[in-house]
Amino acid sequence: MRVVDISAEPRRLDAIKGLWLGLSVVVALVGAVGSLVLASSMEGGVEYLLETYLVSYSLLLGISLGGLFFVMLQHVTRAGWSVVVRRIAEGFACNLGPMALLVLPILWGMHHLYHWSHADAAAHDPLLAAKAGFLNPTFFIVRLAIYFTVWTVLSAFFRYTSVAQDSSGDPALTRRMEKVAAPGIVLFALTLNFAAFDLLMSLDPHWYSTIYGVYYFAACVVSFLAVMPKVLVALQSRGLLPNAVTVEHYHDLGKLLFAFVVFWAYIAFSQYMLIWYGNIPEETQWYLKRQTGDWAWVSLALLFGHFVIPFLVLISRFVKRRRMLLAVTGGYMIVMCWLDMYWLVIPEFSPGVARFGLLDVLCWLGLTGVYSLVLYLNLRRSSLIPEQDPRLAESLAFENA
């Protein structure tokens, strides 16, 4: 086993405090102010802003949910290789608390986004009347509160327990996290599925898919694994963790990204194939919106851009072991993940027309800037690696077979 000495290398964000903080604030302000000004000057701009806000919010929420899943997965499997990158994942997971505040614009615009939220909707629609016990504004808000409470408690537990171990070095804390991870994944699966149903699938209350939540779960993990190499490369380019995170860790992150790209495609195909084969009008109408007009091209872009191209790129060991190539691939995949959320949301409001524009870009920048700022605040309080984790030596010496 090779020995890696990281005692002298920078492991805190102090070295890049001004750069990260300043860039995040500038991006957030430009995006937020720009999107509000542009929306107020457009006919129907506020409604359009709400729609594209839901798109970007769903992606950023997915990145944090993917981070929480990654943390729990490492604990429940007692993985050693991932220890040096787990603290970054914990930081992403801890963004779930602030994401609860960022859901407020969606609640404010509920009557535009969700047809079922109108008081008289059920009176003219027997199907909505049958679902009124579940699809009503009060219960919707209560459910969101439950989801975010579960996610925030789980992410805070793993984060603060891990940081506490930096000081105490108590291996019992690792065993405690492993014990919580198993039931935590069960709670995570239930809450993520219902959150996907509520925030996204209920945009069309007449359509449903029993694996829609699994589809969103796959998108969450893909988006998180896509952004991780970019963050690690950015940190190492500024002199942080130069020896702790090696090409071997990038290789495993690349393998996971490849696996979940395939999993996303498998779930997407399974959902489409069953609905196509059944050929029931109330089911096929959801796909019909996404196969007519401009949306047919967006669907093809997802097929090739979200699956075929990354499959051919990531299947290569060469790419997964080249940090910059993997980071560039991850950046490309984030764009595809955003397009995926756009494809899920916007056809409900703009059938036949994929109206991508500057407002979409500004809204994404504004939310991303806020998200990046909160991530910085999460990570700056402690070391970027779990310094007293009992498996740290194994992680530092990790090599792929």
Side-chain angles (χ1 to χ4, degrees), residues 197-270:
F197 296 157
D198 288 344
L199 289 171
L200 295 172
M201 194 172 76
S202 73
L203 292 169
D204 182 352
H206 295 89
W207 180 84
Y208 69 91
S209 167
T210 54
I211 62 172
Y212 192 95
V214 183
Y215 180 96
Y216 183 64
F217 162 72
C220 292
V221 182
V222 169
S223 59
F224 166 73
L225 292 171
V227 80
M228 270 291 280
K230 289 187 66 63
V231 171
L232 291 171
V233 166
L235 292 174
Q236 290 190 313
S237 69
R238 295 291 169 177
L240 298 172
L241 309 178
N243 300 311
V245 181
T246 69
V247 67
E248 307 297 337
H249 302 106
Y250 283 98
H251 191 176
D252 266 25
L253 288 171
K255 287 188 285 186
L256 281 172
L257 178 58
F258 173 75
F260 275 93
V261 164
V262 174
F263 180 68
W264 173 89
Y266 167 73
I267 297 300
F269 172 75
S270 298

Side-chain angles (χ1 to χ4, degrees), residues 111-260:
H111 289 325
H112 171 67
L113 294 171
Y114 303 104
H115 170 63
W116 51 262
S117 66
H118 292 269
D120 61 342
H124 303 91
D125 191 328
L127 183 60
L128 287 185
K131 295 182 177 182
F134 187 83
L135 290 180
N136 64 79
T138 301
F139 194 26
F140 179 79
I141 294 172
V142 169
R143 290 196 304 274
L144 285 181
I146 293 172
Y147 307 151
F148 279 105
T149 299
V150 171
W151 298 336
T152 302
V153 169
L154 284 173
S155 60
F157 168 78
F158 289 107
R159 166 71 175 176
Y160 292 120
T161 305
S162 177
V163 171
Q165 193 178 52
D166 286 355
S167 302
S168 68
D170 186 359
L173 295 178
T174 293
R175 292 192 293 271
R176 185 182 303 171
M177 289 187 283
E178 291 170 354
K179 290 178 180 178
V180 173
I185 283 184
V186 175
L187 285 173
F188 173 84
L190 290 172
T191 51
L192 183 144
N193 268 270
F194 278 95
F197 296 157
D198 288 344
L199 289 171
L200 295 172
M201 194 172 76
S202 73
L203 292 169
D204 182 352
H206 295 89
W207 180 84
Y208 69 91
S209 167
T210 54
I211 62 172
Y212 192 95
V214 183
Y215 180 96
Y216 183 64
F217 162 72
C220 292
V221 182
V222 169
S223 59
F224 166 73
L225 292 171
V227 80
M228 270 291 280
K230 289 187 66 63
V231 171
L232 291 171
V233 166
L235 292 174
Q236 290 190 313
S237 69
R238 295 291 169 177
L240 298 172
L241 309 178
N243 300 311
V245 181
T246 69
V247 67
E248 307 297 337
H249 302 106
Y250 283 98
H251 191 176
D252 266 25
L253 288 171
K255 287 188 285 186
L256 281 172
L257 178 58
F258 173 75
F260 275 93

Side-chain angles (χ1 to χ4, degrees), residues 357-379:
L358 179 60
L359 187 57
D360 299 287
V361 176
L362 289 172
C363 183
W364 164 247
L365 287 176
L367 269 174
T368 302
V370 173
Y371 187 91
S372 176
L373 177 60
V374 175
L375 179 63
Y376 165 77
L377 295 176
N378 287 335
L379 292 175

Side-chain angles (χ1 to χ4, degrees), residues 46-62:
V46 174
E47 290 78 9
Y48 185 7
L49 179 57
L50 283 171
E51 295 157 15
T52 193
Y53 184 93
L54 179 58
V55 172
S56 296
Y57 179 85
S58 298
L59 176 57
L60 292 172
L61 176 64

Side-chain angles (χ1 to χ4, degrees), residues 5-44:
D5 181 15
I6 61 169
S7 58
E9 73 177 30
R11 300 191 293 275
R12 300 185 73 96
L13 286 179
D14 299 336
I16 59 170
K17 174 182 178 180
L19 177 64
W20 190 330
L21 193 61
L23 187 59
S24 297
V25 170
V26 169
V27 170
L29 287 175
V30 169
V33 174
S35 59
L36 289 172
V37 170
L38 184 58
S40 63
S41 66
M42 296 169 55
E43 182 179 355

